[in-house]
């Protein structure tokens, strides 16, 4: 019975090491070389911000304000839905907010017509 426990412990350690290695490999691979899209975004500045989708969970980009996000995403109640925003003027890149769009027409639909 002791050898079964020893074998199970060895298998558990092996699986843990493999899983940790995979997580490390993926994180290094994703962060090591910027994609062409990332480079063009940083070079062109704000022009790419308006092309981003308005998901329910939204991360504020550089140069964005609650007003511009509200206009773009069609959610006039951003402050009401995000109690962690104490000062609407104190919005910074990386801030995570909840968006519920009231617009049924997206930017893509408007461009098609």
């Amino acid at each position: 019975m002791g050898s079964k426990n020893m074998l199970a412990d060895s298998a558990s350690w092996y699986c843990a090491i493999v899983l940790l290695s995979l997580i490390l490999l993926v994180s290094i691979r994703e962060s090591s070389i910027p994609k062409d899209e990332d480079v063009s975004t940083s070079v062109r500045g704000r022009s790419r911000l308006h092309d981003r989708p308005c998901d329910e969970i939204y991360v504020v980009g550089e140069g964005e304000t609650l007003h511009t996000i509200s206009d773009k995403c069609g959610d006039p109640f951003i402050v009401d839905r995000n109690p962690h925003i104490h000062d609407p003027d104190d919005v910074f890149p990386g801030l995570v907010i909840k968006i519920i769009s009231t617009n049924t027409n997206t930017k893509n639909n408007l461009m098609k017509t």
Side-chain angles (χ1 to χ4, degrees):
M1 190 142 169
S3 71
K4 284 186 179 182
N5 286 341
M6 201 174 195
L7 183 62
D9 285 343
S10 297
S12 295
W13 276 106
Y14 177 76
C15 289
I17 290 172
V18 168
L19 183 61
L20 182 62
S21 300
L22 285 173
I23 291 171
L24 228 74
L25 179 67
V26 169
S27 67
I28 290 171
R29 193 169 161 203
E30 287 180 357
S31 64
S32 63
I33 300 175
K35 300 174 187 164
D36 290 338
E37 184 177 306
D38 294 339
V39 172
S40 66
T41 301
S42 63
V43 171
R44 285 191 235 157
R46 291 185 58 163
S47 64
R48 304 275 296 171
L49 288 176
H50 298 289
D51 296 337
R52 294 188 323 160
C54 294
D55 295 327
E56 185 174 343
I57 302 299
Y58 188 89
V59 180
V60 176
E62 189 162 336
E64 289 185 305
T65 65
L66 289 181
H67 182 72
T68 60
I69 297 169
S70 176
D71 287 347
K72 179 173 75 168
C73 299
D75 185 358
F77 304 106
I78 293 175
V79 176
D80 297 336
R81 291 190 178 102
N82 294 279
H84 60 283
I85 300 175
H86 301 291
D87 182 5
D89 295 326
D90 187 25
V91 177
F92 52 89
L95 178 68
V96 177
I97 58 176
K98 181 177 182 179
I99 300 284
I100 299 177
S101 179
T102 56
N103 285 349
T104 54
N105 293 331
T106 62
K107 188 175 184 179
N108 291 336
N109 288 342
L110 294 174
M111 293 178 123
K112 291 179 184 176
T113 58

